[in-house]
Each structure stands twice: as C-alpha cells, then as structure tokens.
Amino acid sequence: MLKESKGIRLEHISKIYQDPKTGKDFKAVDDANLVIEPGSFVTLLGPSGCGKTTTLRMIAGFESPDEGEIYLGDQPINELTPNKRDTAMVFQSYALFPHYNVFDNVAYGLKLRKMDKKVIHDKVMEILDLVELSGMEGRMTNQLSGGQQQRVALARALVVEPSVLLFDEPLSNLDAKLRVSMRTEIRNIQQRVGITAVYVTHDQSEAMALSDQIIIMNKGVVSQIGTPQEIYYHPADEFVADFIGEANFLRGKLVRKDGEKGVLSIDNHDVEVDDIGNFEVGSDCTVVLRPEAALLAPEGQLPCKVVMSCFMGEYQNYHVMVGDTLVKITDFNPKHKRIYRVGEEAFVKFDTCDVHII
Amino acid sequence: MAAQSKSAKLDRKKLFSDPVMVGMISVLLIFLVLFIVYPLFVLLIDSVYTEGKLTLSVFQRVLSMQRFRTAFSNTLVLGLLTGILSTAIGLLFAYVDVYVKIKNKAVGKLFNVVSLLPVVSPPFVLSLSTIMLFGRSGIITRSLLHIYDSNVYGLKGIVVVQTLTFFPVCYLMLKGLLKNIDPSLEEAARDIGASRMKVFTTVTLPLLLPGLGNAFLVTFIESVADFANPMLIGGDYDTLATTIYLQVTGSYDSTGAAAMSVVLLSLTLILFFIQKYYLERKTAATLTGKASRARMLIEDKSVTIPLTVICCLVALFVIIMYIMIPFGALFKLWGRDYSLTFKWFDYLFKYSGLKAFKDSFLLSVIAAPITALLSMVISYLVVKKKFKSKGFIEFVSMLAMAVPGTVLGIGYIRGYANGIFHTGVLSGIYGTGIILVIVFIVRSLPVGTRSGISALRQIDKSIEESAYDLGAGSGRVFTTVTLPLIKDSFFSGLVTSFVRSITAISAIILLVTPQFLLITCQINEFAEKGYYGVACAYATILIAIVYLSVLLMNLFIRFFGTSKKIKEEK
C-alpha cells in the first residue's frame, strides 16, 4: 500500500461508566498511556471487562474518553466522529452488510470516497486477491464460510487504505483450527501492507503469534507493555505472569546479593538466581517459575512430594508440594524418562537463569 | 462528575458535527411538540384557565353534569367487561395455538385469519354486522327467531363488538408469552404428579399473570378510547369518548369538552403507565429467554376437541360478521327484501361516493410514507443513538399510543382553530387537508415506531458501526445500511399506516370540514341515519381497499424484501 501508516498515542486516557444497577461510577479505562509505533502490530490483551475493547472503541471514535487525548500521528482526534477518522475496524461479528454481495461490501468505503468506478473495481479485485477470495465477488455474504466472511471484513477495512487497522476479537467466532490459520494470514497481510494494527483479544496464544508488542490490561489499568518474550519471561506482576501461560509462584526472601546475582531463601532452602533485579537483601520477593522450566529429579534446588502425576501424551503433568506451596511441572517428551508416582519424594530442579523475580 | 461531562461533551460535539442527525432530531422535536405535546397541553390550560384566572370552575361545572358522571362510570364498566372478556378469549386462542395439537390445517388457517383481522378491520364493521344480525331487522333475530323488538344497542352490543374486535390483539400478545414458557417447568410439575389442570393453574397461569394483566390493560385502554363502536351501537349508553364528541358538536361547549378530555386522557395515561412501566417489565422478568426445546403438544381428545371447537366457533362467527358486510350492500332492504341489487352502490356513486374515496385515499396516501419514514427515524434514533432529547422523543411517541383519538381531536380544535395559543400562528392549517394528514400521522406513529424498534433491535449494532467507521455519515448509514435491512418492516409500516389512516375516524370526525368527504365519516353518517345498505357498500369497498393493500404488501415483501432475498440464497 502506498500510503504511509501512522502511529497512535493515548495520553492519560480514562473512560468512566455508570454501573446501571448501583448508579456508581467505575473506570473502564484508567489513565492509559500508550504509544503505538507506525507499522507495528500491537495487541490489547486481557480478561473480559479489562477495558481493552473500550480502548479500541475510543480509538475508533465510537466511545469518547472522559480524560486525556488520543492522537493519530500528530493529530488530536478526540472530537472527530468515527467516519472522519482514518481508521478501519474489523468486527468480532464480521458486521458484513447482509444485503450486499462480496464485491459491494468491499467497495462500500470506496464508493463513499466517490472514486471512479473503474478504480473501485480494480482496487476491490486487487484486495480480494490479497485475501484469497478472487472469484467470490458475486456471492452474498451468507453463502460464505466463517473464515471467508472474516476475510471479506478484512478486505473491506483494508481497501480504504486506513492509517490504522483495528481488530475487535475478529477470530473468536471461528473454530480452533481456522483461528490458527487465520491469525497467520492476518499477520502476513499486515506485514506485506505495512499498516499499523491494533488488535483486541483475550486469547494469549493469538496475542503471542501476532504481535510486535503486547499491552496487558487488567481492570482498566495497563499492567505491562512489551514484546511477547518480555511479557512471558519478565512479567511485571503476578497477574501478568498468571494470565500469560502458566506460572508457579514461590515466596522467598533475598539473603545474599552479588551484583546481579543473588541467593534466595525459599522454604528454608537456598536458591541461586541469575538476575535479582532491584531487590535489596532482606526484602520479600516472589519467584515466577514456568511449569515447563522445571523438572523432577533425584537432586535439585527444592525438595518436594508428588501429589498428582498424569500422562498427557506430549508431556507428563505433575503437581508437587514444596512446603505448603503447590508447584505445577510439565515434563515434555516423557517416553524415556523416569516417571514419578504420587507419594514419591523428589526435588524440583531448574536453571538459575529460568526464574524471574517479582 | 466533571469528568463525566467531558465524554458527554465530546459525544455531543460529535453529534453536532453531523448535520443530518441534527436536522432529523430538530424536525422530530418540532413535530412532536407541535402536534402531540402542545394540543394536550392546551387542553389542560383550557380546563383550568378561564378569563385570565387559574380556576377549577370548568371542572366543577363538568363534574356536576349528570351526563358526564354517567358517561364516566359507563366507560369504566365497558372497559372492565371488554378487557376481561377479550383477555379470556385471547388466552383461550393462545393456549390452543401453543399447547394443543391441531391436525386439521384449515383450523390453523382460521387462527391466522383471526389474528390478521384487527389489522385490516375498519371501525364500524363489527357494529354494522351486529346490527344486521341481531338488530330489529336482524337476519337472526327477525328472520330466524321472529323476534320483532330485539334491541342490540347499549352496553351489551358494545361489549360484544369490542370484544370481538380486540381479543385478537390479546391472542397475539399471549401467544408470544406462552411460547416463551420453558416446557420443562410444566413437565417437572407433571412429573411430580400434578394433573394437567393443576399444571395450568399452578405453573402456567402464575407465570402468565403479569402478561394477562398487560393484555387486559391494553384492551381496557383501547376500549375506553374507542369512539366508533359506542357511537354506532351504543344507543343511549354514552361513553366519555362519545360524550366529548357530542359536547362539541351538539352543545358547542368546547371548554367543557376540553375538561372531559383531560379526564379521559388522565384515565388512559394512568393505565398506560401501569401497563408500560410496571406490567411489561414484570412480564419480561418472569418470562425471560426462549424455551429450551419444543413442547409436547396435548393430544388428549377430551381436551383438544372441546377447546378447538370453541375457538373455531368464535372464529367462524367473526368471519361471518365480515361476510355480512358485502351482503348488506347487495340486498334490497335488509330484514324485509333479500333480493339482490346494486342500487346501494349506484346510490353511493351518485351521491359523491367517488369523492369520498378520492379524498380518503389521497390524504392517506400522503400520510403513509411520512408516517413510515418518521417512525423509522424515531426508532433508529431511539435504538442506535445517544443524545439528550432521546428520552423525550421516545416518551412522546409512546405517549401518543395512550391518547384517545377524540382527545387529540379536541386538542387540535382548541389548539389550532385560532392558531397557536390564539395568536393566529399556524391557524392556516386548521380546516385544511394538512391537519387531517397530521392527525393520520400522529395516530399511526406509535404503531410504526414500535414495530420499527423491534426490527432495528435485531440488527447487529456493529453492522452500522462498520459503515460509520468506513466513512459514512449518519444519513448515509441510515439510507445505505439501516433502511435496506429493515425494508420489510418499513414497507409493512407504510401499508399499516395507510390502512390505519383510511380507516381512522375518532379524531378525524371532529376536524373534518365539508370540503373533504371521508369514507369513515360517510359510513358513520349513513349508519346513523339507518341507511345500512349504503353504509355497507362503503364498508365493502373500504375492506376491499384495505385487503388489497395488505395483499400488495405481502407480494412486495415476497419479491423485493431484504430478508427474503437473504433467506433464499442461503
């Protein structure tokens, strides 16, 4: 696409709603500050009710913020109606016009821009080719499968060459397999076109697969912004660690510090850690240990007792008790490994670089 | 709350940057204030403000009139009887329709016809045929039973006619509710050991109770507001609606009529608010969602046969009453000479019948598209938009539903005969076709709005949002997306308002001037004079027109309707 894509900036954005039952105000979005770089693919991720969709709808213009300012490029857009904003949205329900065929659906935005018929035709055909729907232009939308409908919705948004493309959980109505292939396709198309994309989802694997940056939201507040790796390996807090993937939380105390390295005391056992961040000696901290980063072994850092052992095919699933704390461990490709049974004693073993302290 | 106002301010700014929206809202507000709020307000002013003073003297005068007091109690008795009977018969029909297995297809058709009748039925029709069946020259009373002094006029006549007119409305309302009762509730009761009757009285009926109350009140309001039937078959049983009319046309006391109108209006409004804001909500609360699966229909012959037979008899009776009308127009002299003749039709066309049809048709054809468009715009704003005066617009257009035609008519007389607030402004429209068209619009608006709202609620909000997002302004979204998607509803609204207009009488009869002849007024006039043949001839042609429009509507929806097109290609 020829047009330059633009970034988005949210400065101190808050949105207040009234609870219809109690009449009390609550902040759906609370002082959100975001910078979305031009051409990047950014995901707003969080549980339902975290304010991600509200944020997206404020960018589109369907909702108005109560505080702060939204910029598209360098232009403040708070006062612009959705039709005056250079954004295009792909909706969860596809929102295709049921009374138009595929061609007219995609051409809708172009016709509004009063383009020449020939130009419209060429652009629509080009974009349908891009989403691999060539030859379907004469069909009514209800003759298409879910995946095809979603492609039409994508084409309809792309064809008007917006500065920013917005996605509101666009894949949640598709079956699991299709979801995986569609998300690859969305990512490919976005890369090829080079457009800025803001994507709302509650599905963490979708966010991982698609994004340059993930914005984690919880209860209206932005919890963390980072690349998928940053978010996964260095979660900012327990919520993020728990929301993205599975996590074990072990409570401990920092007893020694040597530059970046340090030693923690967990359940009265010393555990070496590569990166202790900004913690001072004597302070309480929580160790985040991913289930796949730990193993059960005859020797290791923490003694434990197995309370559940379950074969899942690709991995052996263990629940073990470290003192009073339940720790989950997934041991991949267990075929030739020793399998621990319920009641056995063992050690939890992990690399000193695989734990993260919060 | 300072923060709250910022998003509200932004929303408002966005709204005002859309000239089409601002235009639509302003036009609507002006229309609703001028033609619904203002005339009712004038009635209130008129009845408490005389010779520059606030006083209740007009009310005192009216309340001391024996005629008024009788009319008031008559109205209540009538509403009560009609309400109870209509709800009961409606419940019977709904129950048989939803719970009883009917194998015979003709019976299903019969039910269909009955549910359609209130849509196509002009007023008077049932009164006319009741008189022709049971009146002094009635075909049943005089010719079959040889009763020569039969008197159908009065309370019993009105109750019968109104019940037969209004019960289909109850039937349709209750049918929808019964369908929403989850069959597993009743099966659970049955399973524990309750008999079918016990299940009905302890499960079905309690669940339905708010719905029954709702149906009763809706009928009560309709009955109380009804003008045409009491006028024709009421004899000396005067109701408020007819008394108000006589007060204006007979006693030339329009301030007295205004005070009476305020009483009638208060009555219907109170009932309307109970119905709308209490019972309707309660109904929605007890009967939520859809039934989990299909109901096992009752096949027990000891239940099905008597219930079906009763319903069929009622339905057949109603249909016979409609068939009476064309016969009434074709017989030489009802009750005496049953030889066929076209003389009534000849008479009709000789004495300005053609003009009546032309005038009625023309005014209705002008009113219908305006009504349909206005009601769609109102529903669109109410369902899809957020703005300050939305509550007012919704409220006033619903309010119009509770205003009896007679009251509206008096309001227009008081409000426009000398211009707005007697200033002469807009007095030009009084006595012209314009005010008649406006009355048609106001009278049909609530019905169109209601069906528009339910049609719009079914459209996923994001379909319009996506058009908006792609760059279409509100006007464009409405014409390219919303309107095409509710084309069926729009067209049926068009026909419904045409039908309602061409069959309207209550407000119109007070406002019509000699330069316009309207079919309904003609029917009233001839029936009053006892010229039943001519009245029937008019009514026959009117029914034909109405029936044809409905037919046309169904054809249109079949071939050009959006939903059909989408469905077919599935």
Side-chain angles (χ1 to χ4, degrees):
Chain A
M1 221 125 294
L2 302 168
K3 201 162 140 185
E4 201 184 335
S5 66
K6 287 181 185 160
I8 296 172
R9 213 163 73 239
L10 270 66
E11 286 182 359
H12 302 290
I13 287 296
S14 292
K15 174 73 185 173
I16 298 164
Y17 282 123
Q18 239 181 9
D19 192 310
K21 276 186 192 140
T22 60
K24 275 188 194 153
D25 288 352
F26 72 96
K27 283 196 167 177
V29 177
D30 190 357
D31 195 28
N33 290 289
L34 303 174
V35 177
I36 294 164
E37 298 293 338
S40 66
F41 200 116
V42 174
T43 305
L44 290 165
L45 177 65
S48 58
C50 73
K52 54 189 191 300
T53 299
T54 307
T55 308
L56 191 78
R57 288 174 63 82
M58 282 195 283
I59 297 174
F62 295 123
E63 313 278 348
S64 303
D66 284 296
E67 283 162 25
E69 186 69 52
I70 301 175
Y71 296 88
L72 180 61
D74 295 320
Q75 184 199 8
I77 55 171
N78 269 12
E79 293 181 7
L80 293 184
T81 51
N83 54 334
K84 304 269 166 61
R85 294 188 188 196
D86 195 11
T87 59
M89 178 122 109
V90 179
F91 290 81
Q92 180 172 13
S93 56
Y94 321 134
L96 298 180
F97 307 128
H99 55 303
Y100 289 155
N101 61 20
V102 170
F103 182 93
D104 290 329
N105 259 285
V106 178
Y108 187 84
L110 299 176
K111 283 180 188 161
L112 287 175
R113 285 158 181 76
K114 301 210 166 55
M115 287 189 183
D116 184 65
K117 264 204 172 144
K118 177 85 178 57
V119 178
I120 292 180
H121 182 266
D122 292 349
K123 277 182 182 277
V124 171
M125 287 310 177
E126 188 190 342
I127 213 85
L128 285 177
D129 190 41
L130 183 74
V131 298
E132 293 172 21
L133 281 177
S134 300
M136 304 259 196
E137 59 273 4
R139 296 227 188 150
M140 291 308 279
T141 54
N142 55 20
Q143 295 171 298
L144 304 176
S145 70
Q148 289 169 330
Q149 290 187 32
Q150 193 59 77
R151 275 173 233 235
V152 176
L154 180 61
R156 186 179 62 180
L158 272 173
V159 80
V160 297
E161 300 178 23
S163 305
V164 179
L165 206 50
L166 306 173
F167 294 90
D168 184 10
E169 309 210 20
L171 303 181
S172 59
N173 288 343
L174 301 178
D175 64 58
K177 271 212 172 130
L178 199 54
R179 211 147 55 207
V180 172
S181 69
M182 273 300 290
R183 77 186 183 210
T184 320
E185 217 168 305
I186 287 178
R187 177 64 175 169
N188 285 341
I189 289 170
Q190 183 265 340
Q191 292 282 294
R192 232 180 301 162
V193 180
I195 192 172
T196 314
V198 184
Y199 191 102
V200 161
T201 182
H202 61 268
D203 179 339
Q204 46 153 314
S205 56
E206 221 168 274
M208 293 283 196
L210 283 166
S211 320
D212 296 315
Q213 293 267 319
I214 296 177
I215 298 165
I216 307 257
M217 292 187 74
N218 183 31
K219 294 180 184 157
V221 179
V222 175
S223 300
Q224 190 173 3
I225 304 176
T227 63
Q229 288 83 356
E230 281 166 354
I231 301 257
Y232 192 78
Y233 293 129
H234 303 285
D237 54 31
E238 280 190 37
F239 169 78
V240 175
D242 202 33
F243 190 75
I244 296 279
E246 279 209 79
N248 296 300
F249 300 109
L250 295 157
R251 315 289 164 194
K253 189 172 259 189
L254 187 61
V255 289
R256 268 199 311 279
K257 192 175 170 183
D258 178 15
E260 287 194 342
K261 293 189 177 189
V263 175
L264 299 170
S265 170
I266 298 171
D267 197 31
N268 293 324
H269 299 277
D270 282 359
V271 175
E272 282 180 40
V273 181
D274 278 3
D275 181 2
I276 50 99
N278 298 325
F279 286 94
E280 294 300 324
V281 173
S283 56
D284 290 325
C285 48
T286 301
V287 170
V288 180
L289 179 64
R290 297 287 181 191
E292 74 278 8
L295 286 173
L296 278 187
E299 284 173 358
Q301 286 97 327
L302 296 167
C304 66
K305 193 173 177 183
V306 179
V307 292
M308 189 201 83
S309 173
C310 184
F311 177 61
M312 303 298 289
E314 53 194 309
Y315 60 90
Q316 185 77 20
N317 193 14
Y318 294 112
H319 284 184
V320 301
M321 296 304 291
V322 175
D324 297 333
T325 312
L326 179 84
V327 174
K328 294 174 214 157
I329 293 171
T330 50
D331 193 356
F332 280 90
N333 197 14
K335 191 172 177 187
H336 300 295
K337 291 180 186 164
R338 169 166 182 215
I339 302 300
Y340 290 83
R341 312 255 154 238
V342 173
E344 280 189 79
E345 309 226 325
F347 283 88
V348 178
K349 190 181 169 190
F350 45 87
D351 272 341
T352 50
C353 64
D354 275 344
V355 289
H356 172 68
I357 315 285
I358 51 177
Chain B
M1 295 303 276
Q4 187 79 341
S5 69
K6 178 170 177 188
S7 70
K9 222 185 273 170
L10 275 175
D11 282 337
R12 207 172 316 139
K13 214 167 213 174
K14 285 183 193 169
L15 190 76
F16 279 115
S17 69
D18 198 337
V20 180
M21 276 286 288
V22 177
M24 282 201 296
I25 294 174
S26 329
V27 168
L28 263 181
L29 282 178
I30 293 172
F31 184 86
L32 294 178
V33 167
L34 270 186
F35 300 115
I36 298 178
V37 178
Y38 164 69
L40 300 182
F41 182 67
V42 159
L43 288 180
L44 195 65
I45 294 287
D46 260 8
S47 49
V48 295
Y49 192 77
T50 21
E51 291 155 11
K53 269 186 301 204
L54 270 179
T55 159
L56 289 176
S57 64
V58 182
F59 273 111
Q60 272 164 359
R61 181 165 65 82
V62 167
L63 286 175
S64 66
M65 279 184 219
Q66 187 54 42
R67 207 149 53 87
F68 171 77
R69 278 190 276 178
T70 321
F72 188 74
S73 60
N74 280 354
T75 306
L76 290 183
V77 170
L78 174 65
L80 207 65
L81 288 175
T82 304
I84 292 171
L85 283 173
S86 304
T87 309
I89 299 180
L91 176 64
L92 180 72
F93 269 75
Y95 189 81
V96 171
D97 193 351
V98 178
Y99 281 75
V100 175
K101 182 148 195 165
I102 303 171
K103 289 202 188 101
N104 197 334
K105 273 200 176 141
V107 178
K109 275 249 162 67
L110 211 57
F111 271 60
N112 248 338
V113 171
V114 167
S115 65
L116 245 179
L117 283 180
V119 184
V120 298
S121 163
F124 297 118
V125 165
L126 290 184
S127 292
L128 262 181
S129 44
T130 306
I131 294 170
M132 290 190 302
L133 282 173
F134 302 104
R136 206 153 292 159
S137 327
I139 202 163
I140 292 179
T141 38
R142 188 183 180 98
S143 308
L144 280 177
L145 303 173
H146 303 290
I147 302 168
Y148 295 103
D149 57 350
S150 152
N151 184 9
V152 285
Y153 300 95
L155 179 63
K156 56 181 183 295
I158 315 178
V159 169
V160 168
V161 167
Q162 283 192 342
T163 303
L164 292 178
T165 312
F166 299 138
F167 89 85
V169 180
C170 300
Y171 159 44
L172 290 181
M173 278 173 78
L174 296 172
K175 179 176 156 184
L177 292 179
L178 281 176
K179 275 196 171 155
N180 275 351
I181 294 181
D182 191 338
S184 50
L185 293 178
E186 291 151 344
E187 281 166 14
R190 208 66 178 123
D191 192 44
I192 301 167
S195 69
R196 195 162 269 141
M197 194 62 203
K198 196 85 186 159
V199 171
F200 181 76
T201 52
T202 57
V203 179
T204 316
L205 210 54
L207 279 174
L208 206 59
L209 212 53
L212 286 174
N214 204 358
F216 168 76
L217 280 188
V218 167
T219 328
F220 195 116
I221 295 172
E222 292 265 8
S223 156
V224 165
D226 185 19
F227 168 78
N229 291 311
M231 193 68 200
L232 203 59
I233 205 171
D236 52 9
Y237 193 87
D238 281 331
T239 64
L240 276 178
T242 53
T243 309
I244 291 169
Y245 170 74
L246 294 172
Q247 199 68 15
V248 174
T249 54
S251 316
Y252 300 102
D253 171 20
S254 59
T255 44
M260 292 180 186
S261 300
V262 171
V263 175
L264 177 58
L265 182 64
S266 318
L267 180 67
T268 54
L269 279 187
I270 290 167
L271 295 173
F272 175 73
F273 284 121
I274 298 174
Q275 184 255 326
K276 186 90 206 142
Y277 294 97
Y278 180 70
L279 282 173
E280 219 164 62
R281 252 170 229 179
K282 224 169 160 185
T283 316
T286 45
L287 294 173
T288 48
K290 279 263 161 248
S292 56
R293 48 191 187 75
R295 170 171 277 119
M296 298 290 295
L297 296 177
I298 301 173
E299 286 182 71
D300 185 352
K301 288 223 163 74
S302 66
V303 179
T304 59
I305 291 178
L307 289 184
T308 321
V309 166
I310 297 173
C311 285
C312 288
L313 284 179
V314 174
L316 278 176
F317 183 63
V318 174
I319 290 168
I320 285 174
M321 292 191 107
Y322 279 90
I323 295 174
M324 273 305 103
I325 299 298
F327 282 113
L330 288 172
F331 291 145
K332 214 167 213 167
L333 187 57
W334 195 263
R336 318 271 153 122
D337 185 355
Y338 288 115
S339 51
L340 291 176
T341 171
F342 276 114
K343 77 170 188 177
W344 301 120
F345 285 99
D346 285 343
Y347 182 92
L348 179 158
F349 285 114
K350 209 181 283 165
Y351 293 95
S352 58
L354 212 54
K355 179 172 163 47
F357 281 106
K358 213 183 77 199
D359 288 352
S360 270
F361 193 82
L362 193 68
L363 293 174
S364 307
V365 159
I366 295 171
I370 304 175
T371 316
L373 201 66
L374 268 185
S375 50
M376 282 304 145
V377 169
I378 294 177
S379 348
Y380 175 71
L381 293 175
V382 165
V383 177
K384 308 280 176 181
K385 294 283 167 185
K386 276 188 281 185
F387 55 95
K388 237 183 181 165
S389 45
K390 169 175 146 174
F392 176 79
I393 289 181
E394 189 178 8
F395 177 77
V396 174
S397 42
M398 286 300 175
L399 184 81
M401 208 172 337
V403 179
T406 321
V407 173
L408 198 71
I410 304 286
Y412 280 24
I413 292 176
R414 298 299 303 169
Y416 286 101
N418 298 313
I420 290 175
F421 293 120
H422 307 289
T423 54
V425 180
L426 278 182
S427 66
I429 65 169
Y430 187 75
T432 65
I434 297 173
I435 203 151
L436 298 181
V437 169
I438 290 170
V439 170
F440 285 157
I441 295 171
V442 170
R443 297 292 290 157
S444 309
L445 205 55
V447 185
T449 308
R450 206 170 33 179
S451 79
I453 286 178
S454 71
L456 281 172
R457 289 231 163 100
Q458 281 165 12
I459 300 177
D460 181 2
K461 193 170 91 179
S462 54
I463 291 182
E464 282 147 332
E465 278 181 350
S466 71
Y468 197 24
D469 190 50
L470 287 168
S474 287
R476 266 316 261 274
V477 174
F478 186 72
T479 52
T480 60
V481 178
T482 317
L483 211 50
L485 287 180
I486 52 167
K487 203 156 68 179
D488 293 6
S489 165
F490 177 77
F491 196 70
S492 79
L494 194 69
V495 171
T496 310
S497 52
F498 170 76
V499 167
R500 279 182 68 96
S501 300
I502 206 165
T503 58
I505 175 119
S506 51
I508 287 298
I509 200 166
L510 289 161
L511 296 168
V512 71
T513 44
Q515 68 188 104
F516 289 99
L517 280 180
L518 297 180
I519 308 172
T520 47
C521 301
Q522 293 292 97
I523 299 177
N524 178 48
E525 206 177 309
F526 283 108
E528 288 269 276
K529 287 186 199 152
Y531 288 19
Y532 295 121
V534 189
C536 283
Y538 268 110
T540 307
I541 301 179
L542 185 55
I543 292 175
I545 291 176
V546 166
Y547 184 71
L548 272 179
S549 350
V550 174
L551 214 62
L552 207 67
M553 168 179 81
N554 290 339
L555 273 179
F556 181 90
I557 289 175
R558 178 166 309 159
F559 290 111
F560 302 105
T562 314
S563 56
K564 197 68 192 177
K565 185 167 140 203
I566 294 167
K567 263 182 233 145
E568 260 172 11
E569 279 165 8
K570 226 168 198 170

